[in-house]
Amino acid sequence: MPASSPSIAAREHGPRGVAIRIAGLTRSFGDNQVLKGLDLTVPPGQFLAIVGRSGCGKSTLLRILAGLDRPTGGDVALTAEAGRVASARIMFQEPRLLPWASVLANVEVGLGSGRRAPGARQQALETLSAVGLLQRAGEWPSVLSGGQKQRVALARALVSRPGFLALDEPLGALDALTRIEMQALLERVWLDQGFTAVLVTHDVGEALALADRILLIEDGRVTADIGVDVPRPRRRGSVTLARLEEDILRRIVGPSVSPDYDI
Amino acid sequence: MTDLASAGLRPARARAIPRGSDPGTAGDVRRGQAILVVLAGAVRGRLGPWLVPLALLAAWQAAARAGLIAPSVLPAPTDVLAAGWKLILNAQLLDNIAVSARRAFSGFLVGGSLAFALGLANGLSRLSERLTDTTIQMLRNIPNLALIPLVILWFGIEEDAKLFLTSLGVFFPIYINTFHGVRTVDPQLVEMGRSYGMGRFDLFRRIILPGALPSIFVGVRYALGIMWLTLIVAETIAANSGIGYMAMNAREFMLVDVVVLAILIYALLGKLADSAVRVLERLCLAWHPAFQRS
């Protein structure tokens, strides 16, 4: 796909993204308040990255968005375009494939109860082909490499064509080269399908390679909201990206070095 | 195979002569090496696991024929076979095997399915575990053979007694391993299943049961061993049919060959049951890296 803006690409296929609106979101585990009144609006089809230190609450936020956890207080609303179901899928840091199911059957898990519908197998095969693993459809997951397993997990997440994809550091455990490949694959399927994506990551470079917008979360609150207005496909190591990366890294690690930072 | 090996030896022996060494000794050494090579091949091959039992059998036969073992202590394998053949001809042997096998497997079925059900229930439900696990653990520590006097008082020496004892023996290994298997299913996979909208039944059928299966198979193999052990003891103490009864009966008449035959049959039946489970394991756990052929 050329350097067209994502919103245009999504429009070509009809917008499928889910809009997210969060107001005053709190989540506590016992006495420990992890999210402290968080407000956020994500327009349909946006690729949002959330960065922050370990334990800042970014994963908790993502799990709440994906429906794996419930907020203690506040509102979370995922709304789809009229006539569509606001379906959410999550991709974990580990592939979490069923070792006793073939690669294809693992992708079919993503279809939920619709996996027995006519055409379901075809849909699974097409998604598998989109992640480049069609020829491995009949194999056990245990013979795949780490990157291939994560591609199967991506196919499983995408096969039901969700309106929202939550990504919990899905590339964290991969080697550097496989990571770059997977980032390109993620960008391609996102441009192609136009879902709303929220990526939690430690890697600011990865956030900049993929996201329209980067959110910095510190101590349970949003402390920076940065638009990344760089055309796609983005060139790794471009000066603009490098400046942005430095800027964001300084905000994350900066306070201890220079206490007078502002946003 | 030995013929092939010695045929291959001839050139080597011919070469050994000009060197001036004793041709006989050199040939023997070579032949020894060749036999070793053939043996090593056999160990790696399909016959490998049977080499030691066969060698023991051969040594036993040789010792018996040479008169090293008195026939009243341990008759030669051929005599045992002959006794077996005689019993097959008058239909006693097969009847007794059928009776014992039926007892063993009905006990396995009753005890095994109860254990499987309770293991699943306690693995899946904390409430069920709280209610029953302590009781089961207490019962488990009673040696089930210690119950034989009580069982005879309860059931006499009828089929019920054997069924009760084998069921009880089979119960605990299957219960513990099913319980353990269900509890150690990867919680991340369960969370994945939930996030993909699997209901309780789907979650059980597609994630929990297959995840617990390797552990359940360990329980089944262990239970099969206990099943034979319990049955043998039960049959030798209180029975009027079955292989154990046949052995006890033969002892009364000093028929050592039949006693030995009974023991060998137990060994074979045990091995057979174990092999059957291994085949099943291979079929059901083909996904498991431990069962994949490289």
Side-chain angles (χ1 to χ4, degrees):
Chain A
M1 199 138 309
S4 61
S5 99
S7 52
I8 292 170
R11 221 171 289 138
E12 282 166 3
H13 294 76
R16 302 196 303 109
V18 160
I20 301 168
R21 210 178 44 75
I22 297 173
L25 173 66
T26 56
R27 177 70 172 104
S28 309
F29 296 98
D31 292 337
N32 179 22
Q33 194 172 29
V34 180
L35 297 174
K36 302 170 178 170
L38 203 130
D39 300 306
L40 174 66
T41 308
V42 185
Q46 188 171 61
F47 202 127
L48 174 74
I50 303 176
V51 295
R53 289 163 174 271
S54 299
C56 72
K58 56 188 190 314
S59 282
T60 307
L61 170 61
L62 194 76
R63 289 174 62 83
I64 289 174
L65 282 175
L68 290 177
D69 197 2
R70 293 185 179 284
T72 311
D75 287 321
V76 178
L78 270 68
T79 43
E81 295 284 316
R84 286 185 176 277
V85 185
S87 61
R89 287 290 185 236
I90 186 165
M91 215 179 140
F92 303 95
Q93 179 160 11
E94 321 79 24
R96 301 201 190 178
L97 303 179
L98 301 177
W100 42 82
S102 69
V103 166
L104 181 64
N106 265 292
V107 175
E108 284 172 338
V109 166
L111 290 166
S113 52
R115 68 175 191 282
R116 285 186 203 91
R121 171 138 302 184
Q122 191 53 36
Q123 205 175 331
L125 285 168
E126 274 165 23
T127 316
L128 206 51
S129 140
V131 300
L133 286 174
L134 189 57
Q135 71 282 9
R136 312 300 292 268
E139 292 181 37
W140 301 118
S142 59
V143 301
L144 301 182
S145 71
Q148 289 169 332
K149 283 180 190 160
Q150 210 47 306
R151 269 149 71 192
V152 176
L154 178 64
R156 178 180 64 193
L158 293 176
V159 68
S160 62
R161 308 217 135 222
F164 167 53
L165 180 60
L167 300 148
D168 190 4
E169 291 189 60
L171 314 183
L174 302 179
D175 66 88
L177 292 175
T178 314
R179 252 178 119 120
I180 294 173
E181 267 174 30
M182 279 294 287
Q183 286 169 7
L185 176 65
L186 262 180
E187 187 179 40
R188 203 175 66 229
V189 293
W190 170 71
L191 285 170
D192 195 41
Q193 300 199 3
F195 51 83
T196 308
V198 175
L199 166 73
V200 159
T201 180
H202 278 114
D203 182 349
V204 177
E206 182 168 287
L208 280 164
L210 290 169
D212 295 324
R213 175 184 174 197
I214 296 177
L215 220 59
L216 174 58
I217 293 189
E218 281 171 301
D219 197 23
R221 288 191 184 84
V222 177
T223 54
D225 190 342
I226 305 146
V228 186
D229 202 10
V230 181
R232 298 171 191 270
R234 292 177 180 158
R235 252 180 353 99
R236 198 159 286 282
S238 83
V239 181
T240 334
L241 288 183
R243 283 223 184 91
L244 267 169
E245 182 167 353
E246 195 191 342
D247 191 34
I248 296 167
L249 277 175
R250 196 178 297 137
R251 290 192 201 190
I252 300 176
V253 258
S256 56
V257 189
S258 53
D260 58 339
Y261 78 105
D262 55 355
I263 300 151
Chain B
M1 271 205 263
T2 340
D3 283 348
L4 267 176
S6 49
L9 273 174
R10 266 171 217 135
R13 194 184 285 171
R15 250 183 282 123
I17 299 165
R19 262 187 229 151
S21 59
D22 178 11
T25 327
D28 283 350
V29 169
R30 291 296 177 127
R31 178 174 297 180
Q33 285 173 345
I35 288 172
L36 278 181
V37 168
V38 170
L39 272 179
V43 168
R44 277 191 295 271
R46 289 178 67 95
L47 271 179
W50 293 100
L51 280 181
V52 172
L54 286 176
L56 283 175
L57 218 56
W60 172 13
Q61 175 74 28
R65 279 283 164 266
L68 294 175
I69 309 173
S72 59
V73 175
L74 198 59
T78 43
D79 294 344
V80 175
L81 264 178
W85 183 242
K86 222 162 62 195
L87 287 173
I88 286 175
L89 286 183
N90 68 19
Q92 258 188 49
L93 182 64
L94 294 183
D95 280 357
N96 281 326
I97 288 181
V99 165
S100 287
R102 202 176 56 236
R103 280 177 188 150
F105 286 102
S106 49
F108 182 82
L109 224 61
V110 172
S113 37
L114 277 176
F116 182 65
L118 256 173
L120 286 182
N122 290 2
L124 295 169
S125 148
R126 299 272 164 189
L127 176 70
S128 170
E129 184 202 348
R130 281 184 75 85
L131 285 176
T132 58
D133 190 60
T134 307
T135 317
I136 293 173
Q137 296 305 332
M138 285 197 300
L139 290 176
R140 182 168 76 86
N141 286 304
I142 304 170
N144 65 344
L145 298 177
L147 293 176
I148 287 179
L150 194 60
V151 169
I152 292 177
L153 286 178
W154 284 350
F155 302 109
I157 59 167
E158 298 306 314
E159 291 308 303
D160 301 352
K162 265 81 74 181
L163 186 69
F164 180 84
L165 282 171
T166 39
S167 306
L168 198 67
V170 159
F171 182 89
F172 298 109
I174 294 189
Y175 167 76
I176 288 173
N177 284 288
T178 307
F179 180 53
H180 173 260
V182 171
R183 275 294 156 86
T184 50
V185 167
D186 187 354
Q188 292 192 330
L189 285 182
V190 176
E191 189 188 53
M192 185 281 293
R194 284 218 177 90
S195 87
Y196 278 95
M198 286 189 195
R200 288 171 70 92
F201 178 70
D202 254 1
L203 219 53
F204 172 73
R205 196 176 60 85
R206 305 190 66 195
I207 296 184
I208 294 171
L209 188 60
L213 212 53
S215 176
I216 293 173
F217 269 116
V218 171
V220 167
R221 286 182 67 179
Y222 198 80
L224 285 177
I226 296 202
M227 169 185 90
W228 288 120
L229 178 94
T230 316
L231 186 68
I232 294 164
V233 177
E235 279 187 349
T236 41
I237 291 179
N240 46 27
S241 58
I243 304 170
Y245 166 76
M246 186 182 88
M248 286 319 284
N249 215 22
R251 193 211 54 178
E252 303 271 315
F253 298 104
M254 297 292 282
L255 298 170
V256 192
D257 46 359
V258 177
V259 174
V260 174
L261 178 76
I263 293 168
L264 285 181
I265 286 172
Y266 274 129
L268 281 174
L269 285 178
K271 173 70 190 166
L272 208 67
D274 191 60
S275 301
V277 176
R278 284 176 83 143
V279 168
L280 214 60
E281 222 174 20
R282 235 169 239 288
L283 288 176
C284 295
L285 304 181
W287 55 270
H288 202 285
F291 293 96
Q292 276 162 19
R293 282 178 207 129
S294 49

